[in-house]
Amino acid sequence: MCGIVGYIGCKEAVKVLLDGIKRLEYRGYDSSGMAFIQNGILHCEKAVGKIAELEKRLNGNNFHTSLGIVHTRWATHGAPTTENAHPHVDCNNEIAVVHNGIIENYDYLKSKLEQEGHIFKSETDTEVLAHLIEKYFHGDLETAVMEALREVEGTYGIAVISQKNPRKIVAARKGSPLMIGIGNQEYFITSDVSASLEHTRDVVYLDDNEIAILTPDRYETKTIQNIRTHKKVEEILWNLDMIEKGGYEHFMLKEIHEQPQSLRNVMRGRVESNNDSVRLGGLIHCEQDLRQARRIIIVACGTSWHAGLVGEYMLEEFARIPVEVEYASEFRYRNPVIEKDTIVIAISQSGETADTLAAIREARQKGAKILSICNVVGSTIAREADGGIYLHIGPEIGVASTKAFTAQIAVLYLFTSYMRSLRCPSSPLDSNMIKDIQSIPEKIQTILNMEEHIIELAKLYKDSEHTLYLGRGYNYPVALEGALKLKEISYIHAEGYPAAEMKHGPIALINKDMPVVFIATRDNVYGKILNNIEEVKSRKGKVIAIATEGDDQIAEKVNHVLYIPKTTDVLTPLLSVIPLQLLAYHMAVMRGCDVDKPRNLAKSVTVE
Ligand code: AGP
C-alpha cells in the first residue's frame, strides 16, 4: 500500500532515496517524507501530496548524507496531513520510523505509552512504533526494534534509523513486502525491487517476523527472536526500460500497447506450434494433485477476480472440473468448506494483496493444495504457494491493471489445456486450441491500430455520469472489467452485469443519458444479446457495441460499433477487453484525471 526505501552507502542518499521512492509512487501517493542523519543529527522532511512536493522541500537545502529512509503514503489511519505523513519520530526526535501496514493494537499501546509520558503528534497507528522503540532503546537500535515488535499485533514493513546509531538501518517485515537490495558498497531496503533496480539486481526477500540490519559494509538478517537467518540472494530479471514509460504519456497506455508482446511472453517456452501440449514447469511437482483434484477454488481481488471468472468458465467447459471463484476478502472469514483434493488457486498480479494472501493461508490450514498465478517474481503469494505459474510480462506499474488481466486469462487458458491433458488424456483438446491462442497477439495489434475510432467515441461520452457494461458468457467478466477500468481511472460511476440480469433491476437506470456498452460478439449467445440491445434501445439508451468484424447486422441496431477480429468464444475476452481499456483510458485523460495514480487507489493492497 505504502512504499518504503532505505539507503546506506557511498552515494548521496537524498538523491538515491528520492529517485527510488518515485518508482514506488504507484503504491500510495497522498503524502510523503524522508529522514536522514547529517552531522550526527536526525533530519525529517514531510509533505502532503505527490512526491514532487517533498522534492521541492528538499531541493535548495544542501543536505549531504549517506544514510536515510523515505516513505510514500496511502493513508489508513489519519488523513493525509504533514503530521500524519511518515517518518514518525520519538519524543526526543532521535529515532525515525517509516511503516507499510496496520498496527492493530495501536490504541492499546498508545494509551499505555501516554501513561508512561510519551507525547504523540499524529493520529497514525505507526507513531506507536517510534515511541515503543524509544522505550526499549538502551544504546542498540536492533535490540530496541526487536523488543518493540514483540508487543505489536498487525502487519508491518518498517525501516528505522536513530541518531544514536548513525551508521545503521534496521528493517523488519510481517505481512507487508520488504526486500534488501545488495549493491557494490551500498545496501537498499525497499517494498518493491523497482526502487533499487537502477543500482542492483541482487535482492534478498525478507520473510515474516524477520529483521535486517544494514551497516555501510554488511547486512545481517535475524528473526525478531534474535536468531540469525541465512538468506538466498536472488537475481531480478527485469531491466530499467521495463519500468520507464518508453515515450508513452502514461504507464497504463504503454501497458495496453504492450499486450501483443506480453501475451507472446506468456506463451514462450510453454506452447510449441508443432505440438498441442502445454508445459507448465511450475506445476510438474503438483501433477498428481491436479489429476486427482475434485474441486478448484479461485481466490482473488479486483481485476484478478474478473480473470478468475473467465478461468471458471474455461475450466468447467474444457477440463470438466467444478470451479468456484471467491472474493478473497470474503473467503478468508466465512469458514469455507474445504474437502480433501481441493485445489485453491490464488490469482494476484502483485502477489502481495493482503486478502488473497490471508485466503491461501486459511485454505492451507484447512488442508487445500495452493497454486498461484502471479506476475511479481519472488512475491509472498508466489513463495508461499505449493506450485505456480508466473505471467512473465514484466512490471505492471499503472494502478489500473491491463496487461496483467489478459495475461492471467491466457495463463488460465494454458492451465485449462494442461488440466485437460492430465485428466482426460484419451480425449485431448482440439489441437486448434493452441493455434487459436497463438494468433491472439496479432489480433490485439489490429484492435490497437484502431485507437483513433475509440478516441472519437471517448470524446462523445467523456462527460457521462453513469455507464452500464453488459455481456454474456465469457464476456460477462469482461463487462465487469470494463466497468472497473472506467470507475477507477475516470471516476465515472459504472456497473457491469450479465446482460440478462438487466431486466431484474438495472434496466430502471436506462434513459437517453445512459451509455450502455454491450460486448456483443458472434458467439453462442449472440441472439440473446441482440434481444437485450433491443430492450435498451426501446428505452432510449445509447448503445455502444463491441462486435465481431464482418457483423453488419448489428451496426443498424446500435449507436456505435467497435469491431474486433473473430476468434473462438473462449478466447474472446482477450480481444473484447482491449477497446474497453482504451475507452476508459481516453475518457479519463480527456477528463484530466491522473490515469497512472487514480485518487484513493494503490497498485498493491497490502492491508486488509
Ligand atoms: C485493478 O485495476 C486494480 N488495480 C485492483 O482491482 C487489483 O486488480 C486488485 O487490487 C488485485 O491486485 P493483485 O492482482 O495484485 O492481487
Side-chain angles (χ1 to χ4, degrees):
M1 215 80 184
C2 304
I4 286 175
V5 181
Y7 175 77
I8 184 164
C10 41
K11 296 184 182 122
E12 177 42 59
V14 171
K15 178 165 180 348
V16 172
L17 292 167
L18 270 176
D19 293 347
I21 201 69
K22 281 181 197 160
R23 294 204 186 280
L24 301 190
E25 196 163 19
Y26 65 81
R27 300 177 64 86
Y29 30 82
D30 60 41
S31 54
S32 63
M34 182 186 293
F36 51 88
I37 295 166
Q38 177 169 290
N39 307 329
I41 302 296
L42 180 75
H43 281 269
C44 261
E45 287 293 339
K46 306 187 193 187
V48 173
K50 301 269 167 49
I51 290 167
E53 300 307 317
L54 176 65
E55 189 162 22
K56 278 192 214 134
R57 293 182 62 86
L58 288 163
N59 286 347
N61 292 294
N62 205 6
F63 293 127
H64 289 295
T65 178
S66 59
L67 163 151
I69 54 177
V70 67
H71 182 272
T72 184
R73 185 173 187 235
W74 189 90
T76 57
H77 295 71
T81 62
T82 314
E83 290 71 33
N84 291 335
H86 298 208
H88 289 286
V89 294
D90 65 317
C91 298
N92 308 316
N93 204 24
E94 292 170 344
I95 295 166
V97 180
V98 291
H99 168 227
N100 172 25
I102 291 181
I103 308 298
E104 279 157 17
N105 63 340
Y106 87 99
D107 253 344
Y108 159 75
L109 294 170
K110 185 172 180 176
S111 50
K112 218 172 67 163
L113 287 160
E114 281 174 332
Q115 280 156 22
E116 294 165 9
H118 290 264
I119 310 295
F120 281 72
K121 305 180 200 70
S122 79
E123 302 157 278
T124 67
D125 54 329
T126 302
E127 193 182 348
V128 290
L129 293 173
H131 294 282
L132 261 183
I133 296 165
E134 174 190 3
K135 174 180 175 181
Y136 292 112
F137 188 85
H138 307 298
D140 179 49
L141 188 59
E142 76 219 48
T143 310
V145 170
M146 286 191 271
E147 295 251 16
L149 292 178
R150 289 186 206 131
E151 293 196 26
V152 166
E153 287 160 24
T155 60
Y156 54 79
I158 63 169
V160 187
I161 59 173
S162 160
Q163 72 179 41
K164 293 231 173 103
N165 278 191
R167 293 162 54 76
K168 186 181 280 186
I169 298 179
V170 176
R173 167 219 159 125
K174 182 170 173 244
S176 303
L178 209 57
M179 54 217 70
I180 306 170
I182 301 161
N184 179 10
Q185 293 181 329
E186 57 185 3
Y187 297 102
F188 303 78
I189 196 80
T190 67
S191 305
D192 175 308
V193 289
S194 52
S196 54
L197 193 58
E198 192 174 338
H199 308 275
T200 178
R201 288 165 174 275
D202 295 336
V203 298
V204 161
Y205 294 100
L206 288 183
D207 288 317
D208 278 357
N209 304 312
E210 258 187 339
I211 74 165
I213 303 106
L214 310 188
T215 54
D217 49 15
R218 59 193 292 273
Y219 74 93
E220 193 184 352
T221 57
K222 293 178 177 179
T223 68
I224 60 167
Q225 307 310 339
N226 202 11
I227 299 158
R228 284 291 309 270
T229 55
H230 299 284
K231 310 292 292 181
K232 187 162 153 272
V233 177
E234 316 226 12
E235 190 197 358
I236 300 296
L237 304 175
W238 293 347
N239 61 45
L240 263 189
D241 293 353
M242 294 164 119
I243 54 176
E244 303 290 358
K245 281 192 194 139
Y248 286 91
E249 197 193 341
H250 294 101
F251 281 107
M252 183 180 178
L253 188 61
K254 176 194 176 203
E255 288 151 8
I256 291 173
H257 281 269
E258 275 180 349
Q259 291 177 103
Q261 189 50 45
S262 58
L263 286 192
R264 291 190 190 97
N265 294 349
V266 167
M267 292 187 265
R268 186 168 300 109
R270 291 168 169 165
V271 292
E272 300 304 337
S273 44
N274 57 6
N275 70 44
D276 52 18
S277 73
V278 170
R279 271 191 314 288
L280 297 172
L283 299 183
I284 289 174
H285 58 291
C286 307
E287 284 193 353
Q288 191 45 32
D289 298 296
L290 292 170
R291 264 196 206 89
Q292 66 200 36
R294 283 192 291 159
R295 178 176 170 227
I296 290 178
I297 301 174
I298 295 174
V299 291
C301 305
T303 288
S304 297
W305 187 83
H306 296 154
L309 273 183
V310 178
E312 174 186 23
Y313 283 51
M314 287 174 173
L315 283 159
E316 294 212 347
E317 179 175 359
F318 295 101
R320 307 310 293 152
I321 181 167
V323 177
E324 290 135 54
V325 183
E326 299 271 354
Y327 278 118
S329 53
E330 288 299 311
F331 179 84
R332 60 177 298 185
Y333 286 119
R334 71 170 180 76
N335 191 15
V337 177
I338 304 257
E339 303 106 345
K340 193 170 159 318
D341 300 332
T342 299
I343 302 269
V344 169
I345 302 178
I347 306 180
S348 173
Q349 186 286 130
S350 62
E352 300 293 353
T353 301
D355 284 320
T356 309
L357 180 57
I360 60 168
R361 288 177 175 167
E362 174 75 8
R364 181 183 293 295
Q365 244 173 18
K366 289 179 181 289
K369 194 84 179 171
I370 310 294
L371 303 181
S372 67
I373 297 177
C374 291
N375 185 37
V376 178
V377 176
S379 57
T380 310
I381 291 172
R383 283 186 294 125
E384 294 203 5
D386 302 304
I389 311 167
Y390 280 123
L391 303 183
H392 295 317
I393 60 170
E396 185 179 68
I397 294 173
V399 168
S401 185
T402 52
K403 65 175 181 176
F405 178 65
T406 48
Q408 287 161 346
I409 292 173
V411 159
L412 286 160
Y413 183 83
L414 299 183
F415 177 66
T416 300
S417 163
Y418 186 77
M419 284 294 275
R420 174 78 183 229
S421 59
L422 277 182
R423 299 164 64 86
C424 339
S426 56
S427 57
L429 279 180
D430 161 346
S431 63
N432 285 326
M433 290 280 281
I434 301 300
K435 290 191 186 55
D436 293 338
I437 193 169
Q438 285 172 321
S439 66
I440 292 288
E442 231 168 281
K443 291 178 177 173
I444 291 180
Q445 192 55 55
T446 310
I447 301 168
L448 294 172
N449 298 343
M450 60 178 218
E451 190 169 358
E452 284 316 309
H453 297 306
I454 297 168
I455 293 173
E456 289 315 308
L457 213 49
K459 283 184 191 147
L460 291 175
Y461 289 100
K462 64 177 173 51
D463 299 321
S464 312
E465 283 181 21
H466 309 279
T467 305
L468 261 184
Y469 289 75
L470 301 173
R472 282 176 173 259
Y474 283 103
N475 286 320
Y476 154 50
V478 177
L480 295 177
E481 179 58 11
L484 178 63
K485 287 288 98 66
L486 190 68
K487 265 184 275 210
E488 63 180 326
I489 59 172
S490 75
Y491 318 141
I492 293 172
H493 170 239
E495 294 197 57
Y497 274 93
E501 197 52 28
M502 188 189 43
K503 291 192 286 299
H504 307 287
I507 197 166
L509 298 170
I510 305 292
N511 61 21
K512 62 175 180 34
D513 304 320
M514 172 65 89
V516 182
V517 180
F518 273 93
I519 300 122
T521 49
R522 277 204 176 264
D523 55 19
N524 63 343
V525 282
Y526 177 66
K528 307 294 177 200
I529 211 125
L530 287 184
N531 299 342
N532 299 134
I533 289 175
E534 294 299 348
E535 289 152 9
V536 169
K537 289 299 293 174
S538 56
R539 289 159 181 81
K540 312 232 174 323
K542 292 271 184 318
V543 174
I544 299 161
I546 309 297
T548 306
E549 67 190 4
D551 177 356
D552 307 329
Q553 181 192 357
I554 200 165
E556 71 223 24
K557 293 181 184 303
V558 299
N559 300 83
H560 314 277
V561 59
L562 293 170
Y563 287 108
I564 60 173
K566 179 150 188 50
T567 185
T568 55
D569 295 2
V570 60
L571 287 171
T572 300
L574 289 173
L575 301 182
S576 57
V577 75
I578 308 294
L580 305 187
Q581 294 170 342
L582 285 168
L583 188 62
Y585 171 80
H586 287 293
M587 286 168 77
V589 169
M590 292 170 191
R591 290 163 69 93
C593 302
D594 185 340
V595 168
D596 278 344
K597 299 189 196 86
R599 72 184 184 205
N600 302 343
L601 285 178
K603 182 67 185 168
S604 171
V605 183
T606 54
V607 292
E608 271 194 61

